[in-house]
Amino acid sequence: MYRGFIIVIILIGTCFGVIAQSPKNTLLASQTIRGKVIDFVSEQPVIGASITLLSLKKGTQTDTDGSFLFGQTPIGRYQLQVSSVGYESQIISELLLESGKEMVLEVRLHTTSNQLAEAVVRAPSANLSGAVTSIQNISTEQIFRYPGTYLDPARLATAYAGVANSNDQANGLVVRGNSPNGMQWRLEGVEIVNPNHLSNAGTFSDRITQNSGGVNILSAQLLGNMNFLTGAFPAEYGNALSGVMDMRLRQGNDKKHEFTAQAGLIGIDLAAEGPIGKRGASYLVNYRYSFTGLLATMGVKFGGEDIRFQDLAFNLKKKKKKAGKFMLFGMAGLSSNIFEATRDTSQWIVQKDGFDIYFKNQMGAVGLTHGLNIGKKLLWRTVFATSSLKNTREGYVLSKVNFQRFLIQADSSARAKTSITTSLSYKFNDKSNLKVGIFVTQQYDELFSRSADKRANGAAMGLIIQPYANLHWTILPKLSTNIGLHYLNYTFNQTKSAEPRFSLQYQLSNNQTLSFSYGLHSQLQQPEVYFALATQNSAFLGNARLDLTKSRHYVLSHKYSIKKGANFKTELFYQQIFNVPAALLNPTFSTLNLVEDFTPEPLQNAGTGRNYGLELTYQQYLINGFYALTNATLYKATYKNNDGVERNSRFNGKHIFNLTFGKEWERSENRTLGTSIRVIWLGGFYEREVNEQASIDNKRLIYRNADAFTIKQPDYFRPDFRIYLKKSKEKYSRTLALDIQNIANYQNVSYSYYDILQNKIVRQYQMGLIPILSYRWEF
């Protein structure tokens, strides 16, 4: 622990040394701010909108294309106010203008009949979902500024109310007490396969997960608007129970070529963007190679493991006056994790030390989007995308006598999704609009998993058909509603669900809103649940006919805007979960507690669950050099099976407290020093009790099934720290940053297990102090 503190002190001293030695710039750097203002529903340009840079008191208006431009603007932080007759006024905060990159914005305005309402203050990332409750808008700038994110939107999401990380080593999201398996990942509005490297990271059994991993394959360099939904989703969202990470790609600069290079512990990033020809087309491409992979090529291992990953992502945009907007996008990632036991048995301390483990992950996605305005009121949008994922893992135990290897764990999985979605958005008038659409996805799953006591084996192919419709209606100047319906049909096993969605929002005053949302939601089972088999000779052929798990979500929300750039939000939530697969012979088993594991038993949709709680959030956007995000969540997550006993779910931590705040100082015209601190305090999750005596007698891990999830882990506590220096010259900008996760080196429990080498129960801990030094150059 003391060694870790010494390293941190040296790194911080190095950073401040660089800061102190940096010569002052004599030329004030400047850059361009430009963008476009469009209608939220029809995406038609808003002509004549007033655009004001508040700190400079400098204004302009949009032209006939909805475009605006501020040239030769001094670098720094800005707030941009946008207003137009018949539309809701907005103040966009946390805009960072640097000399190395133009700022290109797309502002979406909502129509309103209440012109006297205060301007809505928001971050640069827009709410594209239409949700009125349980929605967070994530911007790339926040990902770079907040501490402990690893430049990953999922890790940033854990700074919000109701969200906890399942384990430090991975980006699995526990939303309001739900398993990370309830999450869905989207790219450009379409569900894709797990878009994360190292999908076995942070799990108890080291097996493959379906919704998380060590780090997102998409580099933050490419990400644009991102919406993170945590409950009562609008009608266009289906096949998810707990949350949706809806990622959108940033479009490349269509006026000039720009480049970014970044090096740090996460990896080396190289990005390029710029125009293609002279007709508004653009490209954006990024390649990243992991720093741990570079170390591995030199024979240096990270935590005793050879960890490597690399990824490539791109998008190409083209706009044609009559044919509409086109965008071709793609991403691909390779990752591996190899652990090989030392052949000196005197160094074996825990049972993993006697294993050779090989894990590989391959993921790819490619798609095409098309948007076309038909007249002034109708928008037609279509997306075609295909994504695939393949994972393999082999675990060999070594003989202490001659190091002969025996394969005792083998896992392989493959998933492919080919989707087409099309939607029509029609704006009847300023008070009502209708969106109808359909998702058609062909999904293929293949799974093989074998260990000493259980196995899963199977394949499935079917269509997931999801039509939906949503009507937005402003009933009164201060009262609006969304009425929607979503339908899901999985043709592989003929399971289906009709799901009503509803929301109501009332403006209590110019700075207060009261909102309510309801939704019925459903989700397919995980492949390991469908394809679990009891034994090699059993007549039991798995659970492929299981129905969808379903959940009713209720959310009541109150938002109070305290002053410019600050708000206080309260949300009450209740989730009634039913149709949960439960074991016929084991009353304590429920799929609500699964992440990567499964059970070799017959299951039926007889289980239920309840998650409910209160979330309190205070947010101050970055204004005058200061920002804060603090929240508290009190919740309870339980489940029931055939015996009617209500038990704690695995993720019933009961409380989540987050405190994040930061400060920036302008040290000179072209240099900014910033720091940020985040403190996380979570209630410990529950785990199964290990039967120590039975485990010792049988030389393998055995649980007390009758006492499942009765052992509460100690509370989780972690402080993170970030310090950065931004410097700008006339044609480029640089950022030097030191990000320290768990600066106190606090030991947080991961899980407990029986270790055959130590012949006792051993506690495994999560990650300790991790310093990440990075350097970013934009030009």
Side-chain angles (χ1 to χ4, degrees):
M1 182 172 179
Y2 294 107
R3 183 182 299 174
F5 278 116
I6 292 172
I7 293 172
V8 170
I9 291 170
I10 292 173
L11 289 172
I12 293 176
T14 302
C15 286
F16 278 108
V18 172
I19 292 169
Q21 296 169 18
S22 299
K24 291 188 177 181
N25 296 318
T26 57
L27 180 64
L28 184 62
S30 63
Q31 189 52 273
T32 298
I33 300 176
R34 60 185 178 89
K36 192 171 184 179
V37 181
I38 59 176
D39 182 275
F40 179 83
V41 177
S42 67
E43 296 189 4
Q44 289 282 358
V46 178
I47 302 171
S50 297
I51 316 294
T52 306
L53 287 172
L54 295 181
S55 59
L56 298 181
K57 297 182 180 179
K58 185 178 180 181
T60 188
Q61 287 189 328
T62 56
D63 59 19
T64 56
D65 192 35
S67 299
F68 65 89
L69 172 70
F70 292 98
Q72 296 297 308
T73 305
I75 63 166
R77 294 279 182 184
Y78 288 100
Q79 285 185 291
L80 189 76
Q81 181 165 321
V82 184
S83 59
S84 183
V85 176
Y87 286 92
E88 178 184 76
S89 295
Q90 292 186 10
I91 296 176
I92 305 173
S93 295
E94 301 190 337
L95 296 175
L96 175 62
L97 182 64
E98 296 183 280
S99 59
K101 192 178 290 292
E102 284 188 341
M103 182 183 295
V104 183
L105 301 172
E106 182 183 78
V107 183
R108 294 171 176 254
L109 293 183
H110 292 265
T111 56
T112 183
S113 55
N114 184 17
Q115 291 292 138
L116 298 178
E118 291 188 355
V120 176
V121 182
R122 65 170 181 85
S125 188
N127 178 2
L128 302 181
S129 69
V132 299
T133 64
S134 304
I135 173 75
Q136 300 293 343
N137 306 317
I138 298 175
S139 71
T140 304
E141 193 275 333
Q142 290 173 326
I143 296 174
F144 282 112
R145 175 161 40 92
Y146 279 48
T149 67
Y150 286 1
L151 308 183
D152 186 332
R155 292 181 187 268
L156 173 62
T158 61
Y160 297 116
V163 186
N165 197 337
S166 60
N167 190 287
D168 279 345
Q169 295 182 36
N171 60 8
L173 297 178
V174 175
V175 181
R176 293 176 171 173
N178 291 282
S179 164
N181 286 345
M183 275 285 301
Q184 181 185 106
W185 291 87
R186 284 192 173 197
L187 182 60
E188 290 299 322
V190 175
E191 182 180 359
I192 60 172
V193 299
N194 185 4
N196 294 292
H197 288 298
L198 305 167
S199 56
N200 66 331
T203 61
F204 169 75
S205 66
D206 200 40
R207 279 194 168 101
I208 299 157
T209 64
Q210 298 294 332
N211 282 322
S212 62
V215 66
N216 198 306
I217 293 174
L218 271 175
S219 170
Q221 313 270 23
L222 276 84
L223 292 171
N225 282 324
M226 287 165 284
N227 292 157
F228 179 53
L229 298 92
T230 58
F233 319 128
E236 68 181 273
Y237 295 92
N239 195 27
L241 289 181
S242 65
V244 178
M245 182 62 76
D246 194 353
M247 304 181 294
R248 305 291 171 124
L249 297 174
R250 179 175 65 86
Q251 295 181 359
N253 193 322
D254 59 359
K255 302 294 185 183
K256 60 184 292 188
H257 295 280
E258 296 175 337
F259 306 92
T260 302
Q262 177 170 294
L265 183 62
I266 302 301
I268 296 177
D269 275 84
L270 300 172
E273 60 183 290
I276 303 174
K278 298 181 179 180
R279 298 187 178 182
S282 68
Y283 72 92
L284 173 61
V285 61
N286 185 89
Y287 174 74
R288 177 174 59 179
Y289 194 86
S290 62
F291 181 73
T292 54
L294 293 175
L295 292 178
T297 60
M298 297 183 288
V300 180
K301 295 183 178 181
F302 188 78
E305 299 181 358
D306 182 332
I307 302 173
R308 310 182 189 209
F309 64 82
Q310 59 180 314
D311 47 66
L312 175 71
F314 71 91
N315 73 66
L316 306 173
K317 182 201 74 171
K318 176 66 176 177
K319 181 179 179 180
K320 294 188 175 182
K321 191 171 183 179
K322 294 184 178 181
K325 301 176 185 176
F326 295 87
M327 186 175 72
L328 177 68
F329 64 90
M331 60 184 291
L334 301 173
S335 61
S336 63
N337 186 347
I338 298 174
F339 177 87
E340 292 183 324
T342 176
R343 270 41 181 179
D344 181 359
T345 58
S346 64
Q347 297 185 36
W348 292 5
I349 300 174
V350 295
Q351 66 183 42
K352 182 182 175 181
D353 295 336
F355 276 76
D356 286 347
I357 302 173
Y358 304 90
F359 171 82
K360 290 183 179 180
N361 173 285
Q362 299 171 307
M363 184 270 173
V366 65
L368 179 68
T369 71
H370 175 239
L372 178 65
N373 289 108
I374 303 174
K376 293 186 176 180
K377 293 189 175 184
L378 183 63
L379 172 67
W380 180 22
R381 189 171 189 269
T382 302
V383 183
F384 172 81
T386 182
S387 60
S388 63
L389 174 68
K390 184 177 181 180
N391 298 287
T392 58
R393 180 186 177 276
E394 294 178 340
Y396 298 85
V397 65
L398 273 64
S399 167
K400 279 190 172 183
V401 178
N402 56 9
F403 300 113
Q404 183 178 354
R405 303 195 315 172
F406 298 92
L407 179 64
I408 64 169
Q409 298 172 348
D411 298 273
S412 66
S413 69
R415 167 169 282 187
K417 293 176 180 283
T418 300
S419 303
I420 184 168
T421 175
T422 189
S423 65
L424 293 171
S425 299
Y426 185 76
K427 186 175 181 179
F428 294 106
N429 49 48
D430 290 346
K431 294 184 178 181
S432 60
N433 59 78
L434 175 68
K435 184 175 183 179
V436 295
I438 187 171
F439 294 87
V440 179
T441 302
Q442 183 185 66
Q443 179 167 300
Y444 174 76
D445 285 300
E446 183 179 313
L447 177 73
F448 174 79
S449 181
R450 178 177 66 85
S451 59
D453 58 342
K454 55 189 174 184
R455 69 187 185 97
N457 189 14
M461 178 178 285
L463 294 177
I464 305 173
I465 304 170
Q466 300 177 83
Y468 66 91
N470 184 80
L471 173 67
H472 175 81
W473 177 31
T474 301
I475 306 170
L476 299 170
K478 294 186 177 182
L479 181 66
S480 62
T481 184
N482 285 285
I483 303 171
L485 180 66
H486 185 99
Y487 180 79
L488 190 153
N489 182 8
Y490 183 35
T491 63
F492 167 68
N493 57 9
Q494 299 302 316
T495 51
K496 57 194 70 175
S497 176
E499 302 165 5
R501 312 287 172 86
F502 173 78
S503 70
L504 196 66
Q505 186 172 60
Y506 181 71
Q507 190 166 344
L508 297 170
S509 64
N510 286 342
N511 62 346
Q512 293 189 70
T513 57
L514 183 67
S515 306
F516 171 78
S517 296
Y518 163 79
L520 174 61
H521 307 279
S522 65
Q523 187 181 42
L524 276 62
Q525 308 303 333
Q526 299 298 324
E528 55 267 31
V529 174
Y530 283 135
F531 305 137
L533 303 173
T535 64
Q536 187 69 34
N537 300 318
S538 173
F540 170 55
L541 298 178
N543 299 290
R545 298 301 171 187
L546 282 171
D547 199 357
L548 307 167
T549 297
K550 300 181 181 182
S551 178
R552 296 186 179 95
H553 289 205
Y554 305 84
V555 180
L556 180 63
S557 177
H558 175 261
K559 187 174 182 179
Y560 175 48
S561 298
I562 302 171
K563 57 181 180 179
K564 297 289 185 180
N567 63 77
F568 187 83
K569 184 169 67 174
T570 303
E571 287 203 344
L572 287 165
F573 66 88
Y574 182 86
Q575 297 176 4
Q576 180 187 19
I577 311 168
F578 59 102
N579 260 32
V580 180
L584 295 172
L585 305 177
N586 179 5
T588 65
F589 176 84
S590 171
T591 56
L592 296 180
N593 300 314
L594 294 182
V595 178
E596 82 286 1
D597 204 4
F598 61 92
T599 184
E601 299 180 56
L603 304 177
Q604 61 180 5
N605 294 96
T608 62
R610 285 197 310 161
N611 297 356
Y612 56 91
L614 169 69
E615 297 173 352
L616 304 172
T617 300
Y618 171 80
Q619 183 166 16
Q620 167 69 61
Y621 289 113
L622 204 167
I623 299 175
N624 297 325
F626 178 78
Y627 73 93
L629 175 62
T630 181
N631 51 70
T633 304
L634 302 175
Y635 72 99
K636 190 172 183 180
T638 60
Y639 72 100
K640 283 184 183 180
N641 284 343
N642 291 331
D643 60 357
V645 177
E646 188 171 33
R647 297 177 172 87
N648 291 301
S649 80
R650 175 178 178 178
F651 304 102
N652 186 22
K654 299 182 180 179
H655 67 78
I656 302 171
F657 295 106
N658 282 297
L659 172 63
T660 307
F661 61 93
K663 176 66 178 175
E664 289 187 344
W665 297 269
E666 299 290 337
R667 298 191 71 247
S668 68
E669 291 87 349
N670 295 334
R671 289 195 294 173
T672 300
L673 176 66
T675 61
S676 55
I677 296 172
R678 182 186 173 197
V679 179
I680 310 165
W681 176 29
L682 310 175
F685 294 150
Y686 281 83
E687 60 180 337
R688 294 184 289 173
E689 183 178 356
V690 178
N691 189 330
E692 186 170 15
Q693 190 56 54
S695 299
I696 293 172
D697 293 342
N698 292 273
K699 299 301 179 185
R700 63 182 181 88
L701 176 62
I702 297 177
Y703 290 105
R704 297 184 188 275
N705 284 332
D707 300 318
F709 304 106
T710 56
I711 305 299
K712 195 174 191 302
Q713 297 174 341
D715 283 2
Y716 175 103
F717 181 80
R718 195 186 88 200
D720 299 336
F721 173 77
R722 180 176 175 83
I723 183 170
Y724 54 91
L725 174 68
K726 294 180 176 294
K727 297 175 59 181
S728 291
K729 294 286 189 178
E730 185 178 1
K731 294 185 178 180
Y732 63 89
S733 59
R734 294 166 292 171
T735 302
L736 178 66
L738 176 64
D739 201 338
I740 307 171
Q741 178 178 289
N742 197 359
I743 192 170
N745 202 27
Y746 195 84
Q747 282 195 317
N748 293 299
V749 174
S750 181
Y751 53 83
S752 301
Y753 73 101
Y754 166 74
D755 190 280
I756 192 171
L757 281 184
Q758 297 195 20
N759 200 29
K760 65 178 183 180
I761 296 177
V762 173
R763 264 188 174 176
Q764 185 72 22
Y765 293 92
Q766 300 189 47
M767 290 165 47
L769 183 149
I770 303 214
I772 302 174
L773 188 64
S774 64
Y775 183 75
R776 180 179 174 86
W777 187 25
E778 296 175 305
F779 57 100

